[in-house]
Amino acid sequence: MKRRHALLTSLLLGLAVVAGALALTRTMALGQHASAGDAQIARRAAQLDRAEAQVRRLRAERPPALPAAPAAQSAPRVVVVRASQSHGEPYEHEGDEHEDGGHDD
């Protein structure tokens, strides 16, 4: 390996080490701030516990009785009567002349 390639490889490796160290310090800083959220997590867990207890309590209660159903009634019968279709004049054929001389203006 040429001396120039070795120098370039070592520089790139050094940059990778610096980037990794920077990422590690940022990750560690995020972990320190997470302990401040423990109180918030505990508060949310308590809210969920109260909600769960309320659901269990409501599930154990009997629902109110339903009102009595009305007696079944038959629906009135509907009869549809269609009027006869009368067109009046007989159908005009294509060959017939119109009153205005055969123009449709």
Side-chain angles (χ1 to χ4, degrees):
M1 182 184 290
K2 291 187 179 179
R3 191 170 201 154
R4 194 178 322 173
H5 291 150
L7 179 65
L8 183 62
T9 303
S10 63
L11 284 175
L12 289 176
L13 185 60
L15 283 175
V17 168
V18 169
L22 181 64
L24 179 65
T25 57
R26 287 188 178 189
T27 303
M28 296 301 291
L30 288 176
Q32 292 173 354
H33 295 298
S35 62
D38 289 343
Q40 186 178 14
I41 291 172
R43 187 173 51 241
R44 289 285 191 162
Q47 286 177 345
L48 287 174
D49 289 341
R50 285 192 301 269
E52 184 180 1
Q54 182 181 10
V55 168
R56 285 184 184 163
R57 196 171 44 250
L58 291 174
R59 195 184 259 177
E61 294 177 5
R62 288 188 58 126
L66 295 174
Q73 298 177 356
S74 61
R77 186 174 174 190
V78 177
V79 178
V80 177
V81 179
R82 295 180 187 236
S84 65
Q85 296 180 351
S86 174
H87 294 293
E89 296 183 18
Y91 179 75
E92 294 183 17
H93 296 284
E94 286 186 27
D96 295 343
E97 291 188 30
H98 297 276
E99 294 176 13
D100 61 349
H103 297 291
D104 287 336
D105 292 338

